[in-house]
Amino acid sequence: MSAPERIPPRSVTTAEALAGLLAEGELTVRGRIREASNAALYCTVARDGREAACVYKPVAGEQPLWDFPDGTLAQREVAAHAVSEATGWGLVPPTVLRDGPYGEGMVQLWIEITPEAELLALVDAEEPGPGWKAVGLAEVGEGRTALLVHADDARLRRLAVLDAVINNADRKGGHLLPADGLLYGIDHGVSFHTENKLRTLLWGWAGEPLTAEAVRVLGTLREALADGGGLAARLASLITAAEIDATRARVDTLLATGTHPEPGGEWPAIPWPPV
Protein backbone atom coordinates (compact mmCIF):
# COMPACT_ATOMS: atom_id res chain seq x y z
CA MET A 1 0.00 0.00 0.00
CA SER A 2 1.37 3.42 -0.95
CA ALA A 3 2.15 6.02 1.71
CA PRO A 4 -0.56 8.67 2.29
CA GLU A 5 -0.14 11.99 0.52
CA ARG A 6 0.98 14.80 2.83
CA ILE A 7 -0.86 18.10 2.29
CA PRO A 8 1.13 21.37 2.51
CA PRO A 9 0.01 24.01 5.04
CA ARG A 10 -1.08 26.71 2.59
CA SER A 11 -2.16 26.33 -0.98
CA VAL A 12 -5.24 27.75 -2.69
CA THR A 13 -5.72 24.50 -4.58
CA THR A 14 -5.60 22.35 -1.43
CA ALA A 15 -7.46 24.62 1.03
CA GLU A 16 -10.81 22.85 0.62
CA ALA A 17 -9.24 19.41 0.78
CA LEU A 18 -7.28 20.38 3.89
CA ALA A 19 -10.37 21.71 5.65
CA GLY A 20 -12.21 18.49 4.90
CA LEU A 21 -9.28 16.41 6.05
CA LEU A 22 -9.02 18.19 9.40
CA ALA A 23 -12.77 18.18 9.99
CA GLU A 24 -13.65 14.66 8.83
CA GLY A 25 -10.47 12.59 8.66
CA GLU A 26 -9.64 9.80 11.06
CA LEU A 27 -7.90 11.39 14.03
CA THR A 28 -5.17 9.29 15.66
CA VAL A 29 -3.35 10.43 18.79
CA ARG A 30 0.43 9.98 18.54
CA GLY A 31 1.61 11.74 21.69
CA ARG A 32 1.18 14.61 24.12
CA ILE A 33 2.75 18.07 23.91
CA ARG A 34 3.91 18.37 27.50
CA GLU A 35 4.89 22.06 27.38
CA ALA A 36 1.25 23.10 26.88
CA SER A 37 -0.71 24.39 29.89
CA ASN A 38 -3.88 22.70 28.62
CA ALA A 39 -4.15 19.21 27.16
CA ALA A 40 -2.59 19.34 23.68
CA LEU A 41 -2.16 16.15 21.69
CA TYR A 42 0.03 15.58 18.65
CA CYS A 43 -2.03 13.64 16.12
CA THR A 44 -2.34 12.59 12.53
CA VAL A 45 -5.52 12.91 10.53
CA ALA A 46 -6.10 10.72 7.48
CA ARG A 47 -8.77 10.54 4.79
CA ASP A 48 -8.97 9.21 1.21
CA GLY A 49 -5.25 8.48 1.01
CA ARG A 50 -4.24 11.87 2.40
CA GLU A 51 -2.66 12.57 5.76
CA ALA A 52 -1.51 15.55 7.80
CA ALA A 53 -0.04 16.10 11.24
CA CYS A 54 -2.14 18.21 13.59
CA VAL A 55 -2.72 19.36 17.15
CA TYR A 56 -5.88 18.29 18.98
CA LYS A 57 -6.92 20.23 22.09
CA PRO A 58 -10.01 18.63 23.65
CA VAL A 59 -12.35 20.91 25.57
CA ALA A 60 -12.27 18.36 28.40
CA GLY A 61 -8.55 19.09 28.87
CA GLU A 62 -8.91 22.86 29.30
CA GLN A 63 -7.84 24.29 32.66
CA PRO A 64 -10.38 26.66 34.28
CA LEU A 65 -9.49 30.36 34.05
CA TRP A 66 -10.75 33.11 36.33
CA ASP A 67 -11.51 35.54 33.50
CA PHE A 68 -12.72 33.31 30.65
CA PRO A 69 -15.79 31.06 30.69
CA ASP A 70 -15.01 27.36 31.13
CA GLY A 71 -14.98 25.19 28.02
CA THR A 72 -14.64 28.02 25.47
CA LEU A 73 -10.95 28.06 24.53
CA ALA A 74 -11.28 25.69 21.56
CA GLN A 75 -14.01 27.85 20.03
CA ARG A 76 -11.83 30.95 20.47
CA GLU A 77 -8.97 29.25 18.63
CA VAL A 78 -11.30 28.52 15.70
CA ALA A 79 -12.64 32.08 15.83
CA ALA A 80 -9.08 33.45 15.59
CA HIS A 81 -8.53 31.38 12.45
CA ALA A 82 -11.77 32.72 10.98
CA VAL A 83 -10.66 36.32 11.53
CA SER A 84 -7.20 35.56 10.16
CA GLU A 85 -8.72 34.12 6.98
CA ALA A 86 -10.95 37.18 6.62
CA THR A 87 -7.86 39.41 6.61
CA GLY A 88 -6.36 37.42 3.73
CA TRP A 89 -3.05 37.24 5.61
CA GLY A 90 -3.31 33.56 6.54
CA LEU A 91 -1.56 34.05 9.87
CA VAL A 92 -3.28 31.23 11.79
CA PRO A 93 -2.91 27.60 10.66
CA PRO A 94 -6.10 25.92 9.40
CA THR A 95 -8.22 25.19 12.48
CA VAL A 96 -11.53 23.38 12.96
CA LEU A 97 -13.86 22.38 15.79
CA ARG A 98 -14.71 18.69 15.75
CA ASP A 99 -15.21 15.52 17.75
CA GLY A 100 -12.19 13.42 18.64
CA PRO A 101 -11.05 10.54 20.86
CA TYR A 102 -11.51 12.70 23.97
CA GLY A 103 -14.59 14.58 22.88
CA GLU A 104 -15.08 17.89 21.08
CA GLY A 105 -12.00 20.00 20.63
CA MET A 106 -9.91 22.19 18.41
CA VAL A 107 -7.89 20.53 15.65
CA GLN A 108 -5.19 22.62 13.98
CA LEU A 109 -2.70 21.81 11.26
CA TRP A 110 0.77 21.11 12.64
CA ILE A 111 3.37 23.55 11.32
CA GLU A 112 6.96 22.41 10.87
CA ILE A 113 9.24 25.31 11.77
CA THR A 114 11.81 26.37 9.19
CA PRO A 115 14.96 27.87 10.77
CA GLU A 116 15.48 31.52 9.90
CA ALA A 117 16.84 34.73 11.41
CA GLU A 118 15.74 35.50 14.97
CA LEU A 119 12.45 37.30 15.47
CA LEU A 120 13.04 38.11 19.15
CA ALA A 121 16.21 38.92 21.07
CA LEU A 122 17.63 40.34 24.30
CA VAL A 123 20.37 42.91 23.71
CA ASP A 124 22.73 44.75 26.04
CA ALA A 125 21.89 48.21 24.72
CA GLU A 126 19.64 51.18 25.44
CA GLU A 127 18.24 51.40 21.90
CA PRO A 128 17.42 48.73 19.29
CA GLY A 129 19.75 48.33 16.35
CA PRO A 130 18.74 48.69 12.69
CA GLY A 131 15.97 46.27 11.76
CA TRP A 132 14.73 45.88 15.33
CA LYS A 133 11.96 47.41 17.45
CA ALA A 134 12.14 47.87 21.23
CA VAL A 135 9.60 46.16 23.50
CA GLY A 136 11.01 47.07 26.90
CA LEU A 137 13.54 46.17 29.57
CA ALA A 138 13.60 42.62 30.92
CA GLU A 139 15.30 41.23 34.02
CA VAL A 140 17.95 38.66 33.11
CA GLY A 141 19.18 37.73 36.58
CA GLU A 142 21.59 39.02 39.22
CA GLY A 143 20.01 42.46 39.12
CA ARG A 144 20.82 42.88 35.43
CA THR A 145 18.45 43.99 32.69
CA ALA A 146 18.51 43.72 28.92
CA LEU A 147 16.46 45.31 26.18
CA LEU A 148 13.84 43.00 24.69
CA VAL A 149 13.49 43.59 20.96
CA HIS A 150 11.63 42.05 18.05
CA ALA A 151 12.38 42.16 14.34
CA ASP A 152 10.96 45.03 12.30
CA ASP A 153 9.28 42.39 10.13
CA ALA A 154 6.16 42.94 8.00
CA ARG A 155 4.81 39.51 8.99
CA LEU A 156 5.09 40.34 12.69
CA ARG A 157 3.44 43.69 12.08
CA ARG A 158 0.44 42.01 10.47
CA LEU A 159 0.26 39.66 13.43
CA ALA A 160 0.32 42.63 15.80
CA VAL A 161 -2.74 44.02 13.99
CA LEU A 162 -4.53 40.67 14.16
CA ASP A 163 -3.78 40.43 17.89
CA ALA A 164 -5.23 43.89 18.43
CA VAL A 165 -8.42 42.88 16.63
CA ILE A 166 -8.93 39.60 18.51
CA ASN A 167 -7.66 41.02 21.83
CA ASN A 168 -5.04 38.30 22.23
CA ALA A 169 -4.01 38.00 25.88
CA ASP A 170 -1.06 35.68 25.28
CA ARG A 171 1.24 36.49 22.33
CA LYS A 172 4.45 34.79 23.47
CA GLY A 173 7.61 34.14 21.53
CA GLY A 174 6.91 30.42 21.43
CA HIS A 175 3.64 31.13 19.63
CA LEU A 176 5.47 32.43 16.54
CA LEU A 177 6.14 29.74 13.93
CA PRO A 178 8.18 30.65 10.83
CA ALA A 179 7.75 28.17 7.99
CA ASP A 180 9.10 28.45 4.45
CA GLY A 181 9.11 32.25 4.51
CA LEU A 182 5.64 32.46 6.04
CA LEU A 183 4.84 33.20 9.67
CA TYR A 184 2.07 31.61 11.71
CA GLY A 185 0.71 32.49 15.13
CA ILE A 186 -0.76 29.78 17.38
CA ASP A 187 -2.44 29.42 20.79
CA HIS A 188 -5.32 31.90 20.63
CA GLY A 189 -7.52 30.36 23.31
CA VAL A 190 -7.46 33.48 25.49
CA SER A 191 -8.73 35.92 22.89
CA PHE A 192 -11.93 37.90 22.18
CA HIS A 193 -12.57 39.03 25.76
CA THR A 194 -14.85 42.06 26.00
CA GLU A 195 -12.34 43.84 28.30
CA ASN A 196 -8.98 45.06 27.03
CA LYS A 197 -6.55 42.21 27.75
CA LEU A 198 -4.00 42.64 24.97
CA ARG A 199 -0.71 41.10 26.15
CA THR A 200 2.03 40.67 23.59
CA LEU A 201 5.73 40.80 22.82
CA LEU A 202 4.95 42.80 19.68
CA TRP A 203 4.70 46.30 21.15
CA GLY A 204 7.45 47.71 18.94
CA TRP A 205 4.98 49.60 16.72
CA ALA A 206 2.83 50.93 19.60
CA GLY A 207 1.54 54.39 18.75
CA GLU A 208 2.92 54.30 15.20
CA PRO A 209 0.66 54.79 12.16
CA LEU A 210 -0.89 51.67 10.69
CA THR A 211 0.33 50.67 7.26
CA ALA A 212 -1.91 51.40 4.27
CA GLU A 213 -2.31 47.64 3.87
CA ALA A 214 -3.52 47.28 7.46
CA VAL A 215 -6.05 50.09 7.03
CA ARG A 216 -7.41 48.41 3.89
CA VAL A 217 -7.65 45.04 5.65
CA LEU A 218 -9.38 46.56 8.68
CA GLY A 219 -11.93 48.15 6.36
CA THR A 220 -12.62 44.73 4.89
CA LEU A 221 -12.99 43.28 8.40
CA ARG A 222 -15.45 46.02 9.34
CA GLU A 223 -17.70 45.02 6.44
CA ALA A 224 -17.36 41.29 7.20
CA LEU A 225 -18.23 41.90 10.87
CA ALA A 226 -21.35 43.96 10.15
CA ASP A 227 -24.75 42.39 10.78
CA GLY A 228 -25.32 39.95 7.96
CA GLY A 229 -21.60 39.80 7.13
CA GLY A 230 -20.02 36.42 6.54
CA LEU A 231 -17.49 36.71 9.35
CA ALA A 232 -20.14 37.84 11.84
CA ALA A 233 -22.22 34.79 10.98
CA ARG A 234 -19.22 32.48 11.39
CA LEU A 235 -18.25 33.97 14.75
CA ALA A 236 -21.82 33.75 16.06
CA SER A 237 -21.40 30.00 16.50
CA LEU A 238 -18.07 30.38 18.33
CA ILE A 239 -18.16 33.42 20.65
CA THR A 240 -20.87 35.52 22.30
CA ALA A 241 -22.75 38.44 20.78
CA ALA A 242 -21.06 40.78 23.28
CA GLU A 243 -17.65 39.48 22.20
CA ILE A 244 -18.50 40.05 18.54
CA ASP A 245 -19.60 43.61 19.37
CA ALA A 246 -16.32 44.17 21.21
CA THR A 247 -14.40 42.90 18.17
CA ARG A 248 -16.28 45.36 15.96
CA ALA A 249 -15.45 48.15 18.41
CA ARG A 250 -11.74 47.29 18.35
CA VAL A 251 -11.72 47.41 14.54
CA ASP A 252 -13.54 50.77 14.63
CA THR A 253 -11.03 52.15 17.14
CA LEU A 254 -8.05 51.04 15.06
CA LEU A 255 -9.52 52.72 11.99
CA ALA A 256 -10.46 55.88 13.90
CA THR A 257 -7.01 56.32 15.47
CA GLY A 258 -5.05 55.02 12.49
CA THR A 259 -2.35 53.78 14.85
CA HIS A 260 -1.18 50.60 16.52
CA PRO A 261 -2.57 50.37 20.07
CA GLU A 262 -0.48 51.19 23.12
CA PRO A 263 -0.51 49.35 26.47
CA GLY A 264 -3.57 50.37 28.43
CA GLY A 265 -2.09 50.12 31.90
CA GLU A 266 -5.00 48.23 33.46
CA TRP A 267 -3.55 44.84 32.49
CA PRO A 268 0.06 43.51 32.30
CA ALA A 269 1.25 44.38 28.81
CA ILE A 270 3.71 41.50 28.35
CA PRO A 271 2.77 37.83 28.90
CA TRP A 272 4.64 35.75 31.44
CA PRO A 273 6.67 33.73 30.84
CA PRO A 274 7.46 35.65 27.61
CA VAL A 275 8.54 32.57 25.66
Side-chain angles (χ1 to χ4, degrees), residues 89-104:
W89 286 334
L91 295 170
V92 178
T95 312
V96 301
L97 192 67
R98 60 163 288 176
D99 195 26
Y102 299 101
E104 185 179 62

Side-chain angles (χ1 to χ4, degrees), residues 161-259:
V161 173
L162 176 67
D163 284 343
V165 170
I166 68 174
N167 198 18
N168 187 1
D170 197 30
R171 175 60 70 208
K172 296 176 180 176
H175 300 167
L176 305 173
L177 305 182
D180 297 325
L182 302 175
L183 181 68
Y184 296 93
I186 60 170
D187 287 349
H188 301 102
V190 287
S191 299
F192 296 101
H193 203 286
T194 56
E195 299 175 9
N196 178 20
K197 291 184 178 289
L198 182 60
R199 292 196 304 172
T200 176
L201 293 181
L202 304 180
W203 287 114
W205 297 283
E208 292 188 12
L210 295 166
T211 65
E213 177 194 45
V215 171
R216 175 183 56 79
V217 166
L218 288 166
T220 299
L221 282 181
R222 174 186 272 170
E223 294 179 4
L225 285 166
D227 287 338
L231 181 57
R234 178 74 182 101
L235 294 180
S237 65
L238 300 168
I239 59 177
T240 67
E243 289 165 340
I244 295 173
D245 285 342
T247 304
R248 292 186 182 113
R250 289 190 294 271
V251 171
D252 288 343
T253 297
L254 287 166
L255 285 170
T257 63
T259 61

